[in-house]
Structure formats: C-alpha cells, structure tokens
Amino acid sequence: PSILLKIDDLEFKTREFIQSKKLAKSTSSATYTIPVVIHIIHNGEPIGTGTNISDIQALSQITRLNEDFRKMNADALNSTHPYYAIQADCEIEFCLAVRDPAGNSTTGILRYNKMQPSWTIAQIDSTVKPSTIWNRNNYMNIWSINIQDPNSPGVDGFGTFPSSTSDTTDGVVIANWVFGTVGGVKSIVGTHEVGHYLNLKHVWGDNQPNCGDDLVSDTPPSSEPNSGCPTFPHNPNDSCGTGPNGDIFMNYMDYSDAICTVMFTTGQKDRMQATLSTVRSSFLLNNIEPAYL
Ligand code: ZN
Ligand code: CA
C-alpha cells in the first residue's frame, strides 16, 4: 500500500510538472546532471579480465548514457523519419563522482572481489547492493556484475523505479557482458534500465496483449514487446490504436535489438525530468556540489 501511495503521488507530481511546463511555454532548457558511482563486482580476476571489467569499459557506459540521453547517438533517427519530430534530447547527463561519501577524491569506479563467479537477482538485492551502495540521495549507483538467475534466465540488467525502491537497493544493475560497449558492440541495457530508474515504463505498458499504457502521451499504444529489428512501419493501425506509423519499436523502452533501438520521446523526457525535479532531485548539481568538485 505504501508503494502504491508513492506511485500515485509521483504520477500526480509528474502531471503537475508537465502541465506547468506547457503553461510556461519555456524555451529555456536546464540540463540535469547525475553523479554516478560504478561498482564493479568481480571474482578476483585481473583488471580487464572476465567480470573485473576495465576502466575503459566502465567509462564506455557513461559515454553511452550521455549520447543516448542527449540525442548524440550516431544512429539517432534522421529528419525524414516519421518519429523524428518526437525524438528528444532529454537534457540529462551523467558524470562519474569525484568525491566519495566521506569527501575524499575518487575515480567513481570501485572494485570489489566478492569471491563468487555469478549472482542471482535476489542475491544482488540482499547481499551485493547493501554492502556496496553509496547514499542514493547523492549518487546514482550502477553495478557491473555477472547476473545468472535460473528464475529469470537471460536477464541482463534491472533498474529500480523511484517509488518502489529502498536505501539499500536503489540503482541500476547491468550485467558485465553488456556493460557499456563490449568489443565494439552497442548495448542499450544501461540506457533502458536508467529509463526505469527515472520512472519510465515499457512502451507496451506491461499488459500484453491488452494494449497497456506507459503513461506517456506521444508513444503509440502497443500490444506486446518487440524483438529483433522489425521493419518500419511495424503493426501499423492495429487494434491497440498504433496509428499509421505503428509500434515505436526503435524506442529504448521497447525490447528490440540494441542496433535498432535509438530514441526517447519528448513525452518520456518530460516524465524523466519530472522525476528529477521531484523525488530524485536531491543529487542534482546545485544540491551536492561536493560530489563533483
Ligand atoms: Zn525494462
Ligand atoms: Ca503511450
């Protein structure tokens, strides 16, 4: 019940934020900068080997996030695409923390030998996160870890929604094998999970096949998650009311392959900025300068 209350409260605040943004008709833009700490959970391998991913790979995740949330990705929709008009520069940026919780300088990349080759989701939430997390009000915590969960086979990441999280579990988990850019291969797992962290739902609204609602007005309704790389338009004018352009399968919050998943929408941007202006406002630059300086 308390989670439902929090969800309702944030939805109310989100509608308020979007409404006031519309009324203000403001052309000015504010960039939201999120300080990040990356916790690399490994099994004693040398740095750059196996689960003990290199600094370069860790940094590539920050680069990926900045490209995707600033519409700087090289594969963004071009101006002839019907969904180009709603493709958003979310004006959200990410930087590695330069001060740890005690105020000492840090690279923002932490390594822990937890002497275990792989972890279930429950183990990560009950053991790994509580023993490593930095104050969630001051940092977005990201973990790189080998997720192997027989109850959820194939899961390669998970992010906490702002209304159903806790001080010991809040943050984004990304499997080491899809962390950032691995061997030149694009991954959008981090981008997708940070979307959840900033209160985005899946574009199909998690109610397949019943045309669920993601509470974002400019994403068309769709009946189910997509996979692979569909051909545009996919499922146009279907019974959910997709319209002539069909599913927005190229959105980061669908399940299509990374190489054809390239954009957030303006509606999603508003929803994420509403979260950063309310329940996740505490770590923004002007509030916690020490994390950056
Ligand atoms: Zn998801
Ligand atoms: Ca929608």
Coordinates of all heavy atoms in Angstrom, one line a residue, residues 13 54 56 64 74 80 139 167 220 251:
K13 N 2.6 14.4 -9.2 CA 3.6 15.4 -9.4 C 4.1 15.5 -10.9 O 4.4 16.5 -11.4 CB 4.8 15.1 -8.5 CG 4.5 15.4 -7.0 CD 5.7 14.9 -6.2 CE 5.5 15.3 -4.7 NZ 6.1 14.4 -3.8
S54 N 37.4 -3.5 -17.4 CA 38.4 -2.5 -17.4 C 37.7 -1.1 -17.2 O 36.5 -0.9 -17.3 CB 39.1 -2.4 -18.8 OG 38.1 -2.0 -19.8
I56 N 38.1 1.4 -19.1 CA 37.7 1.8 -20.4 C 36.3 1.3 -20.6 O 35.4 2.1 -21.1 CB 38.6 1.4 -21.5 CG1 39.9 2.2 -21.4 CG2 38.0 1.5 -22.9 CD1 41.0 1.8 -22.3
R64 N 27.9 6.1 -23.3 CA 26.7 5.6 -23.9 C 25.5 6.3 -23.4 O 24.6 6.8 -24.1 CB 26.5 4.1 -23.7 CG 25.3 3.4 -24.2 CD 25.5 3.0 -25.6 NE 24.7 3.8 -26.5 CZ 24.9 4.0 -27.8 NH1 25.9 3.4 -28.4 NH2 24.2 4.8 -28.5
A74 N 25.0 8.3 -32.7 CA 25.2 8.4 -34.2 C 24.1 7.8 -35.0 O 23.9 8.2 -36.1 CB 26.5 7.7 -34.5
T80 N 13.9 12.6 -41.9 CA 12.9 12.1 -42.8 C 12.0 11.0 -42.1 O 11.0 10.6 -42.6 CB 13.5 11.4 -44.1 OG1 14.3 10.3 -43.7 CG2 14.3 12.5 -44.9
Y139 N 24.1 10.0 -5.1 CA 24.7 9.3 -6.2 C 23.7 8.4 -6.9 O 22.9 7.7 -6.2 CB 25.9 8.4 -5.9 CG 26.9 9.1 -5.0 CD1 26.9 9.1 -3.6 CD2 28.0 9.8 -5.7 CE1 27.9 9.8 -2.9 CE2 29.0 10.4 -4.9 CZ 28.9 10.4 -3.5 OH 29.9 11.0 -2.7
D167 N 16.7 2.4 0.4 CA 18.0 2.9 0.6 C 19.2 1.9 0.4 O 20.3 2.3 0.1 CB 18.2 3.5 2.0 CG 17.4 4.8 2.2 OD1 16.9 5.3 1.2 OD2 17.2 5.1 3.4
P220 N 3.0 5.6 -29.1 CA 1.7 4.9 -29.5 C 1.5 3.7 -28.6 O 2.4 3.1 -28.2 CB 1.9 4.5 -31.0 CG 3.4 4.4 -31.1 CD 4.0 5.5 -30.2
N251 N 12.3 2.6 -29.8 CA 12.4 3.3 -28.6 C 13.2 2.5 -27.6 O 13.1 1.3 -27.5 CB 11.0 3.6 -28.0 CG 11.0 4.5 -26.8 OD1 11.2 4.1 -25.7 ND2 10.9 5.8 -27.1

